[in-house]
Amino acid sequence: MNILEDFRKPFDPKEVKWRVGSTNAAKDRGLALAYIDARNVMDRLDEVVGPYGWQNKISILEDDNRVLCSIGIKFTADNEWVWKTDGAGATDIEGEKGGISDAFKRAAVHWGIGRYLYALDSPWVALEKRGRSYAIAKSEMPRLAGLVGGTYDPASEPDPEPEAIETIKEV
């Protein structure tokens, strides 16, 4: 078993999600960026080195609210912990919690986890307004799923509840 090779294995295409990066001025087109959830990273770490073979440490830099995350892997040959660190700022969506998640995922990339996602195409896609934000149009999802070797199942992404969208509009 080669730990680094196992970390680098691609994720099941159903686990890869897409978010909007840059947009045009009209907000009707945007760059699609592939990502995985922090829980996918935790599962990969557990799968490869076991739940006691890794740990992470979070630090918040007080001067600019950036978050640093270090992931340590215990190599059994010498029982030594090896650490890799990366950081992120607070996110627009979940603030500090989102920053912690982003820093964790970025630190995992140093171990090779999800690194291949950065090499994927980030195509321009049609956007649709959802609440106060913009999301990738569902018509684009089959093409994006194909970029990671999967197929798109519309049932896998439930529509947001109409009441929730209305509530957001009123705020």
Side-chain angles (χ1 to χ4, degrees):
M1 173 176 89
N2 183 326
I3 290 173
L4 296 178
E5 282 180 21
D6 289 343
F7 281 158
R8 290 186 180 112
K9 287 180 186 172
F11 285 87
D12 182 321
K14 292 180 216 144
E15 293 176 322
V16 177
K17 298 175 184 156
W18 295 87
R19 68 175 183 82
V20 179
S22 300
T23 64
N24 63 1
K27 303 271 189 210
D28 61 352
R29 298 202 46 83
L31 283 177
L33 304 174
Y35 72 98
I36 52 172
D37 191 274
R39 281 166 290 287
N40 298 118
V41 173
M42 293 174 202
D43 289 344
R44 177 63 51 90
L45 289 162
D46 287 348
E47 195 179 286
V48 174
V49 297
Y52 304 107
W54 71 276
Q55 58 181 305
N56 67 304
K57 297 177 185 173
I58 302 294
S59 304
I60 298 176
L61 304 176
E62 291 181 25
D63 55 330
D64 64 358
N65 257 0
R66 289 190 57 78
V67 178
L68 294 179
C69 178
S70 299
I71 296 177
I73 305 294
K74 188 190 315 184
F75 287 90
T76 55
D78 54 12
N79 228 10
E80 181 182 337
W81 289 94
V82 178
W83 293 87
K84 298 195 179 207
T85 304
D86 207 329
T91 64
D92 293 336
I93 309 277
E94 296 184 78
E96 195 172 284
K97 179 182 169 196
I100 291 169
S101 178
D102 284 352
F104 178 68
K105 292 186 292 184
R106 288 179 182 188
V109 168
H110 288 272
W111 287 105
I113 300 172
R115 188 181 295 166
Y116 74 98
L117 296 172
Y118 288 93
L120 292 177
D121 284 336
S122 295
W124 283 92
V125 295
L127 301 179
E128 51 192 34
K129 190 161 176 62
R130 291 201 193 142
R132 290 173 153 186
S133 188
Y134 294 87
I136 297 170
K138 290 185 181 183
S139 62
E140 297 281 6
M141 299 315 286
R143 175 169 65 127
L144 296 176
L147 291 176
V148 292
T151 57
Y152 176 65
D153 175 13
S156 68
E157 289 190 38
D159 288 327
E161 296 178 25
E163 302 85 43
I165 291 175
E166 291 303 317
T167 304
I168 291 172
K169 286 181 183 177
E170 293 174 9
V171 172

